[in-house]
Amino acid sequence: PDASIIYDAEALFSLREISKAEVEGRTLTEMEKRRMLREELDLMKEADTVVTVSETEGEIIRKEGAHGDVVAWGHTHDLYTSVTPFSERRNILFVGAFTYGHPPNTDAVTHFTTRVLPRIIEKLPDCHFIIVGSQPPESVRKLASKHVVVTRFIENLREYYEKCRVCVIPLRFGGGISYKVTEAMSYGTPTVVSTVAGSGLGLRDGEETLIANNDQEFVEKTLRLYTDEDLWHEIQREAQRYIRDNCSPEIMKRKLAEVLKHRLRKG
């Protein structure tokens, strides 16, 4: 009965649903948005400490008065040394699971394939978009074409991260922080990400990644990263520095230990 309760808020899913509605053109009233957020935040009140994946979501929890003891603890990654040079890489990669149709990933690849990729192919006619992820729904499998390859579950993702030149994360809605962004960075595959995908990570446009605010920027920045070898190396270098400084297992273990010690002191 005296055990401490630590609530692990992997993401604020109500925010994902609200942004999903906006992308789909469904209008939610402010009252509906507040109700969705409060229903989720009220779950935290019985906890002694709340752990969230980013300071961005932590601030929302504090601002809403859901809990006063909130700490951020994100994703951990090993750092891989990239061995395939720029000149030997080809194609554009997306990695993400489609379990139960996972709406953010399904929407992202569908929108990118239909609205962004055709304009990239005009400039890079030999380029392919490779979609890697478990359990792709029929709507995603139907995207396969001359320029689009849809795989299923892949045991070792490093092969794809090594052979592709650019990884895109075109999420239009979501919650928490995007694991697929930091995973690509850990493998040394430079990325172009949406503002949603980069949210909460503190990434800088033109430093650790290229950030696209709309479809036209996604086209322009993907083409630029795909063709500019100097920029490609700069992004790769800064991305791996970010992973080393923020996501290494040693750093994450230390942060988790601090969370637990903090709770014990307060207990």
Side-chain angles (χ1 to χ4, degrees), residues 99-130:
T99 311
Y100 304 117
H102 194 63
N105 289 347
T106 297
D107 173 82
V109 297
T110 301
H111 185 83
F112 186 86
T113 301
T114 57
R115 302 292 295 275
V116 179
L117 185 64
R119 286 184 273 173
I120 293 174
I121 296 301
E122 288 178 5
K123 302 293 185 180
L124 302 171
D126 295 327
C127 182
H128 293 80
F129 180 39
I130 301 178

Side-chain angles (χ1 to χ4, degrees), residues 249-260:
E250 293 74 20
I251 288 175
M252 297 301 289
K253 287 176 183 177
R254 185 166 66 248
K255 286 183 178 179
L256 181 58
E258 290 170 358
V259 171
L260 298 176

Side-chain angles (χ1 to χ4, degrees), residues 13-23 26 28 32-34 36-37 173:
F13 293 103
S14 54
L15 298 183
R16 186 183 78 179
E17 293 306 309
I18 291 169
S19 60
K20 179 175 182 285
E22 293 174 350
V23 165
R26 293 186 286 115
L28 296 176
E32 288 174 318
K33 294 177 183 178
R34 294 291 305 167
M36 293 169 67
L37 182 59
F173 57 89

Side-chain angles (χ1 to χ4, degrees), residues 147-202:
H147 290 287
V148 180
V149 177
V150 180
T151 76
R152 293 178 182 269
F153 174 76
I154 300 296
E155 183 69 36
N156 185 2
L157 290 172
R158 187 170 188 179
E159 173 189 353
Y160 284 87
Y161 281 120
E162 279 290 336
K163 72 181 182 180
C164 291
R165 186 174 291 180
V166 172
C167 188
V168 295
I169 301 94
L171 297 177
R172 299 199 295 165
F173 57 89
I177 58 176
S178 181
Y179 185 88
K180 57 179 65 64
V181 174
T182 48
E183 180 178 77
M185 291 165 64
S186 74
Y187 277 100
T189 306
T191 59
V192 182
V193 308
S194 65
T195 51
V196 171
S199 177
L201 290 168

